[in-house]
Amino acid sequence: MKKSNLLILMFAMTLASCGEQQMPDNMRSLATGYEMYSVHCENCHGAEGEGLARLIPPLKNSDFIKKYPDSIAGIIRHGQKGEILVNGIKYNLAMPSNSVLTDDELSQLVNYVKIRFGSVKQ
Amino acid sequence: MRNRILGMLMLLFFISSCTEKKLPILGYKIAKVTVVDGKEVIDSIYPTIPDFEFTNQNGIKVNQETIKNKIYVADFFFVTCPTICPRMKKNLLEVYAKYKTSPDFLILSHTIDPEHDSIAVLKDYAERLGADAKNWHFVRGDRETTYELAEHGYYSTAMADSTEPGGFVHSGGLILVDKQKRIRGIYDGTNANETKVLIQDIETLMNEKE
């Protein structure tokens, strides 16, 4: 093995062991988010967050989430009603409130939605 | 002798491979008594969808005349449904995209919540979905009539013949009906793969000789 390769390998190993304390937590949180999404959101917003025609707005690349990142938790908890503009299209159907999610699950879900659907760069 | 058997076998093989695929007709046959020349004649026939009358998203009457000589897909939903309906509609959109230009094809979506789903609500819903009232009817009637039709017209018939363990998937069913108003298939509308089978089966049904 060349010396430079060995160095890179060692560097990678150190990185991996450093990250070990943080990674699992992060991963677990995303896994919860994913699970919550499939249970509570996917039926309406779709597996890829694509939404449904002009009935249900997309989450994928939603400019609404980018513009109002702090409103997402409230929308999930309390629902959303009335006309709403997402990526230039007007939607107007009620999204029901969700009182089943715990506060932890809710924040993990919001985090997941932001990362998964592209309004936050990871 | 041997050659003859072989020849017959080959012939049989040919015949069986030539016959086209046919969809099953669902439901137990029922006896129908008619009087011909003063004599009672008992026929055993497959159950058919009973007559009905609903109003669609444009306020137009939809009844057995609407489905006359049409192959159609029926489903039951409601606009505010938080669970499986959006998924079903998404899959139905795929079916619609494939057959919306066929003159003898229709979709009939029945609301089971007529109190909320007024004609105006259905119209808005249909338009947002991209459905044309010409061949995708969103219909409402009174609740009792709709449930009655669902249970006894579409579902029980389908259930009677279901070979699946646990029977027919009660909610989320897409029901395929032929030009003789007989049920030819039930599909889980929440499942993308079953929807693909439905799309295939519609094609088979369209090619079926009457």
Side-chain angles (χ1 to χ4, degrees), chain A residues 42-43 50 53-55 90, chain B residues 83 86-87 90 127-128:
Chain A
E42 194 182 311
N43 267 328
E50 73 276 18
R54 287 190 293 121
L55 275 171
K90 282 181 194 157
Chain B
T83 53
R87 225 180 249 264
K90 184 182 167 188
E127 278 174 5
R128 286 177 179 276

Side-chain angles (χ1 to χ4, degrees), chain B:
Chain B
M1 183 63 195
R2 230 208 176 129
N3 268 342
R4 251 172 69 186
I5 294 179
L6 199 70
M8 272 166 77
L9 265 177
M10 275 174 70
L11 191 67
L12 260 177
F13 188 72
F14 262 104
I15 293 173
S16 65
S17 64
C18 281
T19 50
E20 52 193 309
K21 188 194 165 207
K22 262 201 149 185
L23 300 180
I25 300 170
L26 303 188
Y28 289 126
K29 278 190 168 183
I30 44 173
K32 190 185 177 199
V33 183
T34 41
V35 180
V36 179
D37 298 333
K39 264 198 230 152
E40 278 194 352
V41 180
I42 299 176
D43 248 343
S44 86
I45 56 159
Y46 283 103
T48 55
I49 305 299
D51 288 355
F52 57 83
E53 182 157 303
F54 294 114
T55 310
N56 80 0
Q57 69 266 41
N58 284 352
I60 291 166
K61 290 262 173 292
V62 168
N63 56 25
Q64 58 281 356
E65 286 303 312
T66 318
I67 56 162
K68 198 170 183 178
N69 280 319
K70 306 274 184 193
I71 287 166
Y72 73 97
V73 174
D75 76 304
F76 294 85
F77 84 110
F78 56 107
V79 167
T80 52
C81 161
T83 53
I84 57 171
C85 304
R87 225 180 249 264
M88 280 173 77
K89 286 292 174 282
K90 184 182 167 188
N91 287 327
L92 261 177
L93 268 179
E94 304 262 316
V95 177
Y96 189 59
K98 183 89 207 268
Y99 296 109
K100 66 179 171 191
T101 54
S102 303
D104 51 0
F105 179 77
L106 286 182
I107 300 180
L108 222 56
S109 291
H110 306 72
T111 174
I112 53 172
D113 183 12
E115 286 80 15
H116 176 274
D117 298 350
S118 63
I119 289 174
V121 167
L122 290 177
K123 189 177 172 66
D124 181 61
Y125 189 87
E127 278 174 5
R128 286 177 179 276
L129 204 56
D132 188 334
K134 161 172 118 274
N135 50 12
W136 191 342
H137 300 278
F138 287 81
V139 298
R140 72 186 284 279
D142 64 65
R143 188 182 278 264
E144 284 300 300
T145 317
T146 310
Y147 276 67
E148 177 72 20
L149 183 72
E151 285 231 3
H152 299 291
Y154 290 100
Y155 288 149
S156 64
T157 318
M159 265 198 297
D161 210 53
S162 179
T163 47
E164 254 175 70
F168 154 74
V169 200
H170 229 287
S171 44
L174 299 178
I175 303 140
L176 177 60
V177 183
D178 69 12
K179 292 181 178 176
Q180 287 82 45
K181 299 196 275 186
R182 300 173 306 189
I183 296 179
R184 304 301 291 273
I186 303 268
Y187 310 80
D188 178 359
T190 64
N191 181 314
N193 284 332
E194 284 214 17
T195 308
K196 287 203 186 91
V197 177
L198 167 60
I199 289 175
Q200 198 59 55
D201 284 358
I202 292 171
E203 178 96 39
T204 306
L205 196 53
M206 282 178 168
N207 293 330
E208 195 173 86
K209 289 181 197 75
E210 275 143 46

